[in-house]
Amino acid sequence: MYAIDVKASGATSVVAKEKNFTADVDAILNCVTERTKVLFLANPNNPTGTYIPASEIIRLHKNCRQPAFCA
């Protein structure tokens, strides 16, 4: 669904590599640039059911470079 939303808005999709089928906060942060507008994070992931703990989500939010909308 995320790829469809990105394409429909005319944006370019950038996908961070996962680690052991789980979102990798460091990989996500390395993908965020000054051109980033939205960050999609499925937590828990579908269909794997893996998740990152709240502390990692807080770290992701605190370390997003602006003007990205990280919420």
Side-chain angles (χ1 to χ4, degrees), residues 29-53:
L29 290 171
N30 285 332
C31 289
V32 176
T33 71
E34 66 279 350
R35 296 187 63 187
T36 303
K37 302 296 182 216
V38 177
L39 191 156
F40 289 108
L41 175 65
N43 194 54
N45 190 6
N46 183 8
T48 65
T50 59
Y51 66 93
I52 59 175

Side-chain angles (χ1 to χ4, degrees), residues 13 19 22 41 61 70:
S13 181
K19 188 184 289 184
T22 305
L41 175 65
H61 185 263
C70 300

